[in-house]
Amino acid sequence: MRRSEDMTLQSLDTPAVGSPPARALVARAGQGARSVAARYGVLASFLILWQVGSTVGWLNPTVFPPLDLILAALWDGLVSGALIDDIAISLQRSGLAFAAAVGLGIPLGLFMGQIRAVERALDPILQFFRQTSALALYPVFILLLGLGEASKVFVIFWATLFPILLATIGGVKEVDRKLIEMARTYGAARRTVFLRVVLPASVPSIFVGLRLSATTALLLLIAAEMIGANRGLGFQVMNAQYNFQIPLMFAAIFLLALLGLAANFTLVTLQRRLCRWADAS
């Protein structure tokens, strides 16, 4: 009798498969699977169609080689170290230009956003240069700086400067005036108002400019490395196309896309850490 009671208690303590906790776990797993499918389903379908279509002949395999050949070319390039060198030089060029744009664009944007007279005086020329394509000015940069690294870095810097600068100016101008007046009412000095009110409120807009500039840096990097370069991912794309190494060409293109995704992910993560108050609101 005692043994029967113990078995009954054990059966009560052990949740059945259809118990509420088990059903909640299954529902949570299903919800997660649906979320992943909704977010990456189209991309996965595109890649599957590419692989199948190129394999069975729906697509021209000469122009669109199967993904397994592209991945093999990518693996060979990484293992041999050839693509590693190209990634390093490309990151160096785009990183220098992006850092210079951040170092100039954010302080200048904060300054112009607070002093309206300076912003009104400089805005027309900024808008003029912003509407001028950096690629159209690239021949001018080559004439001034030559075909070396300086012209490549400068054309990327030129294109990445304006998104950061204009986003920073817009962020400062959109700060709630009531917050500034309240801080001044409580006796806050001008420097304190800037550090405690204006700068934190401008950070989300600044990060929008940073993300746009990071994308622009990679786009201009390709164009800069296609002219007068002998190293870099952009050069690798053109060189592989000239030599009809199409899998290697797509491998370099995919690497550029992955670098862009990594840069965007890094900036989004940093923004969430610095702007938790914005997410909470």
Side-chain angles (χ1 to χ4, degrees):
M1 185 67 180
R2 180 66 178 173
R3 184 177 180 181
S4 176
E5 291 178 356
D6 293 340
M7 293 178 63
T8 304
L9 291 175
Q10 290 178 2
S11 63
L12 291 175
D13 292 339
T14 303
V17 176
S19 62
R23 287 198 298 268
L25 183 61
V26 172
R28 194 177 302 119
Q31 184 178 2
R34 287 192 297 270
S35 177
V36 172
R39 184 173 181 84
Y40 301 105
V42 175
L43 177 60
S45 301
F46 170 75
L47 295 177
I48 293 172
L49 286 175
W50 184 340
Q51 174 67 25
V52 174
S54 181
T55 302
V56 302
W58 298 340
L59 299 174
N60 186 354
T62 304
V63 180
F64 295 99
L67 291 178
D68 57 344
L69 295 182
I70 297 175
L71 293 177
L74 176 61
W75 176 257
D76 292 339
L78 293 175
V79 171
S80 65
L83 288 179
I84 298 295
D85 294 337
D86 291 325
I87 293 173
I89 191 64
S90 295
L91 288 178
Q92 179 181 342
R93 288 167 178 160
S94 57
L96 285 174
F98 183 73
V102 171
L104 178 62
I106 292 180
L108 183 60
L110 293 173
F111 178 72
M112 292 178 60
Q114 290 190 99
I115 304 178
R116 297 301 175 87
V118 177
E119 193 266 338
R120 284 195 300 267
L122 294 181
D123 183 69
I125 191 171
L126 288 178
Q127 295 297 333
F128 174 78
F129 282 128
R130 185 175 74 92
Q131 299 301 328
T132 305
S133 172
L135 292 178
L137 294 174
Y138 193 23
V140 179
F141 300 151
I142 292 176
L143 289 175
L144 294 175
L145 303 173
L147 275 173
E149 293 297 311
S151 61
K152 294 176 178 57
V153 173
F154 195 81
V155 71
I156 301 172
F157 160 77
W158 185 268
T160 55
L161 173 64
F162 295 103
I164 297 176
L165 177 60
L166 296 176
T168 304
I169 295 173
V172 174
K173 293 172 66 175
E174 291 175 2
V175 176
D176 193 348
R177 295 286 110 185
K178 295 180 180 179
L179 296 177
I180 299 177
E181 294 174 0
M182 182 181 300
R184 290 174 178 172
T185 300
Y186 282 97
R190 187 181 184 89
R191 179 173 179 272
T192 304
V193 171
F194 171 76
L195 294 177
R196 298 295 182 88
V197 179
V198 176
L199 185 58
S202 305
V203 169
S205 180
I206 292 174
F207 268 98
V208 173
L210 290 175
R211 292 170 63 184
L212 290 174
S213 292
T215 303
T216 304
L218 291 175
L219 294 177
L220 266 293
L221 173 69
I222 302 172
E225 291 181 342
M226 286 180 176
I227 302 176
N230 55 10
R231 293 176 64 190
L233 290 176
F235 164 77
Q236 193 62 255
V237 171
M238 291 299 297
N239 185 59
Q241 188 266 334
Y242 287 147
N243 294 307
F244 217 69
Q245 297 173 313
I246 306 303
L248 180 59
M249 181 190 74
F250 276 106
I253 292 173
F254 285 172
L255 274 178
L256 286 167
L258 291 176
L259 289 177
L261 290 174
N264 184 74
F265 176 79
T266 302
L267 290 173
V268 169
T269 303
L270 184 60
Q271 180 181 1
R272 288 174 178 172
R273 288 182 177 273
L274 295 178
C275 305
R276 294 177 180 175
W277 53 270
D279 294 337
S281 62

